[in-house]
Amino acid sequence: MESVLETVKTAYAKQPDLKISSVNTLPDPHLPYRFWLQAPNDKSLQVLVNPYTGIVMGSRNWDETIISWTFKLHYQLLAGEIGTIIVGIVAFMLLILSITGIVLWPGWRKLISGFKIKWNAHPKRVNFDVHKVSGILAAVFLTFIAFTGFC
């Protein structure tokens, strides 16, 4: 690993403003090592290195990739720090909404019948039953998703 690290430092020696911030070694030995170089302007350069030969296979500006755009959309709504705050607030509100939905679920009194849908009943009753069953199933998953999103 030390020789690979020296190879990357040598390859980017002409750009002293780039500092190695992290290295990803993946469990599959056929995948390249990923070196993350950080520039002073918060730009990231990802360098891929062959784990067997130590040869630099290529590099890419992380901020110009589609996956970087997807991450920024997912975590920041493409709005920077304000987007991160908005995502946190919305996740917290979803967490509260999911917890109250679980607590107020009308099927707790008769648990087995709470998961039954009476398909032959009046359409309003069928709508209520479908909403009740799908709501409790979705609320369980949404609670975990909202908690991890808020954290």
Side-chain angles (χ1 to χ4, degrees):
M1 184 64 170
E2 287 295 322
S3 63
V4 176
L5 183 63
E6 287 304 319
T7 303
V8 172
K9 285 181 180 179
T10 304
Y12 291 92
K14 293 180 182 176
Q15 296 173 313
D17 57 331
L18 292 176
K19 304 292 182 203
I20 296 176
S21 61
S22 65
V23 179
N24 295 82
T25 56
L26 301 173
D28 186 355
H30 297 85
L31 295 175
Y33 293 153
R34 297 178 186 167
F35 285 82
W36 295 90
L37 282 70
Q38 196 73 33
N41 58 359
D42 280 342
K43 297 288 183 183
S44 295
L45 183 70
Q46 185 181 39
V47 179
L48 304 172
V49 180
N50 187 320
Y52 296 111
T53 63
I55 296 173
V56 175
M57 299 168 57
S59 64
R60 62 181 171 182
N61 186 348
W62 175 252
D63 298 317
E64 295 175 2
T65 61
I66 189 77
I67 194 73
S68 171
W69 181 83
T70 306
F71 276 130
K72 288 178 183 175
L73 175 66
H74 184 76
Y75 290 109
Q76 302 175 336
L77 300 175
L78 301 176
E81 187 64 31
I82 297 294
T84 304
I85 293 169
I86 291 170
V87 168
I89 291 170
V90 170
F92 181 71
M93 291 168 57
L94 178 62
L95 178 65
I96 298 300
L97 184 66
S98 299
I99 291 171
T100 57
I102 291 171
V103 170
L104 296 175
W105 184 58
W108 289 119
R109 282 175 256 130
K110 296 179 182 175
L111 194 59
I112 301 298
S113 64
F115 285 98
K116 290 184 180 176
I117 300 173
K118 296 180 182 175
W119 294 106
N120 297 334
H122 189 271
K124 287 184 179 181
R125 175 60 192 248
V126 173
N127 183 35
F128 173 77
D129 285 347
V130 168
H131 184 87
K132 178 177 66 169
V133 172
S134 62
I136 192 64
L137 294 175
V140 171
F141 293 108
L142 285 174
T143 302
F144 289 114
I145 291 169
F147 178 72
T148 59
F150 174 67
C151 288

